[in-house]
Amino acid sequence: MSRTITVAAAQLGPIQKAEGRDVVVPRMLRLLERAHQRGAEVVVFPELALTTFFPRWYHEDLNEADHWYETSLPSPATQPLFDAIRKYGLTVYLGYAELVNDTDAQGVVRKRRFNTSVIIAPSGEIVLKYRKVHLPGHAEYASHRAVQHLEKRYFEVGDLGFPVVRAPVGAAGQPVNLGMLICNDRRWPEAWRVLGLQQVELVMLGYNTPAMNQDNKGFEAHHLRVLHSQLAIQSGCYQNACFGVAVAKAGKEDGHELFGHSIIVNPQGEIIALAATWDDELIVADCNLDLCELGRTTVFNFEKHRRPEAYGRIVEQTGSVPPAVWTPSR
Ligand code: CDT
């Protein structure tokens, strides 16, 4: 019998700055209900799914930004999501901003902030947590930019690595090797490979990606923004023989456009489902996990073909260095 699971990408349309969890959670509940009606066992929501993409807004005092973060899951505002997850027997990826109050040895409380995602089991338990490693943007207000992208101000670099867990999914409880990425992580092959080295079968990732390059450092055609996103996800799935569910927060948030184009990708790197709108939209695909075997046992049989002794620079070096210079002998 094939190991087929039905997965859904629950794309969210825009969330305006003034809209709170009381507006967003009912929209997410409708998507969960539709996912259940369409036979989904796994549902993936976007990065920072409960709020607008707040890193575009500058707060001089970080404490003023606390209302964008969750200090516990579930909370009174998110409890209805957990109730629906239990009712429908779903496994759910949820992206959110996490605020942790850490107390040090001297009893001093320090606030720590992460861009986080969790996998929630059909029982409502948290199966796995991931904190975003590749934080794009900048930490200080950048006057040359049309729009701020202050992830380096609002979040610490994730400290949980790239974990993979084998866990039963959905009401049927099929065991699946599950991993997570968040938005910009998808552009870094190192992140995918660390998941691949743990035999990941399903990579879930949410994103908020501006439709236009906002760095003001040169022109980038808009269609290339989508191409680059898909290229990264398709190659990540192919090179690590896994399925990927990549889910956007899309549309115009307070006038700032985020692209949609949520996709589900198979281990051959093919897009098997694609969102057609920049609004709340559910796309669903059946994923036969046995398809992960072909790549894993042939071209990407890591045990047989990887050469870590030649990859030293990948972990020893961060930035690039100029190459050795060759000069003709005469
Ligand atoms: N949210 C997020 O990581 N967005 C980035 C935008 C990069 S531009 C600063 C992305 O890689 O899609």
Side-chain angles (χ1 to χ4, degrees):
M1 214 175 73
S2 80
R3 293 177 60 225
T4 298
I5 55 165
T6 304
V7 305
Q11 177 176 286
L12 284 171
I15 301 170
Q16 307 308 326
K17 194 179 179 192
E19 292 176 327
R21 287 137 180 97
D22 56 322
V23 174
V24 183
V25 169
R27 285 169 52 185
M28 296 170 79
L29 290 174
R30 276 194 290 280
L31 287 164
L32 288 177
E33 185 184 9
R34 277 167 44 207
H36 172 66
Q37 287 164 351
R38 291 175 65 181
E41 297 161 276
V42 176
V43 181
V44 180
F45 283 114
E47 172 192 36
L48 302 177
L50 299 167
T51 63
T52 195
F53 186 70
F54 68 86
R56 71 167 70 88
W57 303 110
Y58 179 75
H59 289 283
E60 171 126 30
D61 177 0
L62 271 186
N63 296 311
E64 284 174 9
D66 281 359
H67 63 286
W68 299 119
Y69 297 79
E70 311 303 312
T71 49
S72 66
L73 268 189
S75 57
T78 55
Q79 184 62 51
L81 293 173
F82 284 73
D83 295 342
I85 286 167
R86 217 172 332 210
K87 178 171 155 197
Y88 301 135
L90 296 168
T91 295
V92 170
Y93 166 110
L94 176 68
Y96 65 102
E98 179 190 13
L99 178 58
V100 186
N101 286 306
D102 255 7
T103 310
D104 69 15
Q106 283 72 46
V108 177
V109 177
R110 187 165 71 96
K111 286 183 183 175
R112 303 190 66 198
R113 300 169 172 87
F114 299 98
N115 188 339
T116 298
S117 59
V118 284
I119 298 171
I120 306 166
S123 64
E125 283 171 280
I126 305 290
V127 177
L128 192 66
K129 181 183 279 190
Y130 168 66
R131 290 170 171 160
K132 185 174 183 178
V133 168
H134 298 98
L135 297 173
H138 46 103
E140 299 304 328
Y141 187 86
S143 53
H144 71 281
R145 291 180 60 100
V147 185
Q148 302 299 301
H149 194 112
L150 291 153
E151 285 197 59
K152 284 185 159 66
R153 181 175 194 81
Y154 291 125
F155 305 116
E156 287 179 47
V157 172
D159 58 353
L160 302 175
F162 296 99
V164 174
V165 70
R166 185 169 183 80
V169 304
Q174 174 100 256
V176 182
N177 301 350
L178 303 166
M180 294 179 273
L181 297 174
I182 302 179
C183 195
N184 190 265
D185 286 323
R186 72 195 188 283
R187 305 183 194 276
W188 300 91
E190 298 89 335
W192 286 93
R193 184 46 49 88
V194 175
L195 295 176
L197 285 167
Q198 299 167 82
Q199 299 183 3
V200 73
E201 293 173 315
L202 182 65
V203 174
M204 298 175 265
L205 75 98
Y207 60 90
N208 283 259
T209 301
M212 283 178 251
N213 189 317
Q214 296 165 332
D215 273 316
N216 279 348
K217 284 192 173 157
F219 175 72
E220 187 176 62
H222 301 172
H223 72 282
L224 295 180
R225 307 277 291 172
V226 177
L227 172 71
H228 296 156
S229 174
Q230 296 183 341
L231 201 59
I233 297 159
Q234 290 179 257
S235 58
C237 288
Y238 166 62
Q239 291 167 350
N240 295 283
C242 60
F243 285 87
V245 189
V247 186
K249 173 123 68 57
K252 268 193 184 170
E253 291 190 337
D254 298 281
H256 306 296
E257 227 168 41
L258 300 167
F259 69 66
H261 305 271
S262 299
I263 50 176
I264 303 176
V265 175
N266 73 15
Q268 298 286 3
E270 293 171 294
I271 296 175
I272 55 173
L274 168 66
T277 71
W278 286 21
D279 218 322
D280 292 4
E281 180 179 348
L282 196 79
I283 57 169
V284 179
D286 288 337
C287 301
N288 176 358
L289 301 168
D290 291 336
L291 296 179
C292 302
E293 275 306 297
L294 181 65
R296 192 176 298 147
T297 54
T298 58
V299 183
F300 297 111
N301 181 332
F302 294 158
E303 183 67 32
K304 254 191 175 160
H305 306 303
R306 286 184 79 248
R307 292 288 168 250
E309 69 276 15
Y311 307 152
R313 283 185 192 273
I314 298 282
V315 288
E316 284 156 15
Q317 210 175 298
T318 306
S320 63
V321 293
V325 176
W326 179 85
T327 43
S329 49
R330 56 190 171 86

